[in-house]
Structures are given as structure tokens and as C-alpha cells.
Amino acid sequence: KAGVTQTPRYLIKTRGQQVTLSCSPISGHRSVSWYQQTPGQGLQFLFEYFSETQRNKGNFPGRFSGRQFSNSRSEMNVSTLELGDSALYLCASSGTGQGGEKLFFGSGTQLSVL
Amino acid sequence: TQLLEQSPQFLSIQEGENLTVYCNSSSVFSSLQWYRQEPGEGPVLLVTVVTGGEVKKLKRLTFQFGDARKDSSLHITAAQPGDTGLYLCAGALRGGSYIPTFGRGTSLIVHP
């Protein structure tokens, strides 16, 4: 069974640009969640999608958005990039996204904003 | 303020030593998970604990959930270089919609 796939693996952008990251969950998983990981703040929850609907949202500005498609694949978009957006962006999938359920993480997209 | 505080933040030990990592909060969790993350990879789930006082063992790793479900510990016996990584605890708050809270992690290096 294929794991969670995130593309691209690395990305370099400049301030003010926008970026789209992609996540393909494990087959059959309907919940996809996104996280930002930085050395200073650790893993911070961005949002979670289930059956194409955003079900939960973390405390991030509106520049961070996402969506989920009917095949459960998900994308997240960051507009008007800032230097502080440099981070490892991880997505995770699970069957239902219920509390305590096992999360399967991808290897992440390392975003550098110059 | 971090909802889940992990300590220590960094740990550098020799192969064969024992160690304990702590995850503390003032909030009550319905369940708590421990993950290990290796460089360049995403976190991988090690264990989920759900009952206060619960102890789970995974080979040389022992996980304990506090009686009040506010804290947890991870004990590694006879650490090996393969245990090197970032250990993260993550909790599901009791009674709320599931927004997982992660601690900042404990970075462990085990020297051969």
C-alpha cells in the first residue's frame, strides 16, 4: 500500500509570491490534515479536510488556504509569501480524522522563502 | 504558551544508556500519541495511550499515560543509535473537536 505522497519535495520562492503544495493520501483515507513545522514553534496544525470539506482550522492567517478533491487528494496554497513562512509543510492522512486515530505523514515539502 | 510541554528539548547520550522524555500539560486529553521523526521524513506513530495510568511497551520503549490524563512519559532502555530522532507527543483534547496538539519535541542523539 503506497504511503502519503507530497510534492514537490523542495521549493524556493521569493517574498510576495504564492505557492501550491500537493498531498496524495493513502488509498481509502478520507481525512487529510496539514501542518507547519519550524524549529521554533514545532508542529502547528493548519487545517483538516474530510470529504472535500474543511472540518477544522488552526490559527493561521487567511493567506493559508486549502482544498480537497473528490479523490481525497489535497492541496494547500500560501499567497503573498513572507520570510516567516519558511518551514517544512507536512500533510497526514487518516481514515476518518477522529481523535486518537493514527496519522500517516508524508515526507513533507521544505519551503524556503527568500 | 505551548499546550503540551516536552522535556528535555535536547538529549545526547551514549549507546546503552537509559533515558526518559516527558510530555506535560495542564489540560486533560482523551488520548495521547507519541511519534518519532527522522531527518528528512515525516513523523511515524509509535503508540497511542487512552486510559489514565496506562502503560504500553514497544520493545525497549515504555510509554505511560498519567492517571489524570494530563501527562505522559517515554522511557527508553539501553538506547541504540537507531533510536536517534525527534520524539513528539500529540494530544487530542477531551470534549472538543479533534484538533491535534503537538509538543515541540525532544531531539535525541544516541552516540555509538
Side-chain angles (χ1 to χ4, degrees), chain A residues 9 35 37 39-45 48 56-57 88 90 97-103 105-108, chain B residues 2 9 30-31 33 35 37 39-45 48 86 88 92 97-104:
Chain A
R9 191 78 172 84
Y35 302 83
Q37 186 175 32
Q41 296 299 318
L43 254 163
Q44 305 274 304
F45 173 79
E48 184 244 354
N56 291 295
K57 189 177 189 306
L88 178 66
L90 292 160
Q98 296 302 308
E101 191 178 30
K102 181 176 180 178
L103 296 176
F105 283 87
S107 296
Chain B
Q2 197 78 4
Q9 192 175 353
S30 58
S31 66
Q33 298 173 320
Y35 290 81
Q37 184 178 18
E41 298 296 329
V44 175
L45 181 69
T48 301
L86 179 68
L88 296 157
S97 62
Y98 181 58
I99 298 180
T101 300
F102 280 82
R104 288 207 177 111

Side-chain angles (χ1 to χ4, degrees), chain A residues 61-83:
Chain A
R63 300 186 297 107
F64 292 82
S65 62
R67 58 178 175 169
Q68 186 181 34
F69 303 95
S70 58
N71 61 358
S72 293
R73 190 178 72 85
S74 178
E75 289 181 346
M76 69 162 280
N77 184 276
V78 188
S79 62
T80 319
L81 284 166
E82 300 177 0
L83 295 179

Side-chain angles (χ1 to χ4, degrees), chain A residues 3-8 20-34 47-53 66-77 91-94:
Chain A
V4 177
T5 304
Q6 289 189 247
T7 57
T20 299
L21 311 181
S22 179
C23 174
S24 293
I26 288 174
S27 178
H29 284 187
R30 296 169 66 187
S31 170
V32 174
S33 50
W34 288 88
F47 29 67
E48 184 244 354
Y49 287 86
F50 182 83
S51 293
E52 301 179 66
T53 300
R67 58 178 175 169
Q68 186 181 34
F69 303 95
S70 58
N71 61 358
S72 293
R73 190 178 72 85
S74 178
E75 289 181 346
M76 69 162 280
N77 184 276
C91 84
S93 75
S94 65

Side-chain angles (χ1 to χ4, degrees), chain B:
Chain B
T1 304
Q2 197 78 4
L3 196 58
L4 276 169
E5 296 286 347
Q6 284 190 244
S7 62
Q9 192 175 353
F10 300 100
L11 206 48
S12 179
I13 62 172
Q14 293 296 127
E15 182 176 359
E17 292 185 27
N18 301 331
L19 66 115
T20 303
V21 175
Y22 299 94
C23 177
N24 296 300
S25 177
S26 57
S27 300
V28 177
F29 292 93
S30 58
S31 66
L32 199 139
Q33 298 173 320
W34 285 92
Y35 290 81
R36 180 170 68 210
Q37 184 178 18
E38 298 184 13
E41 298 296 329
V44 175
L45 181 69
L46 296 172
V47 76
T48 301
V49 286
V50 296
T51 306
E54 182 176 5
V55 177
K56 281 192 173 179
K57 292 192 175 183
L58 185 65
K59 296 182 181 178
R60 294 174 292 99
L61 278 60
T62 302
F63 305 85
Q64 185 162 7
F65 202 11
D67 291 339
R69 295 199 283 189
K70 294 182 179 180
D71 55 83
S72 180
S73 64
L74 156 60
H75 182 79
I76 301 179
T77 303
Q80 298 177 1
D83 296 326
T84 293
L86 179 68
Y87 288 82
L88 296 157
C89 63
L93 281 173
R94 193 177 181 191
S97 62
Y98 181 58
I99 298 180
T101 300
F102 280 82
R104 288 207 177 111
T106 294
S107 181
L108 170 66
I109 298 175
V110 182
H111 301 278

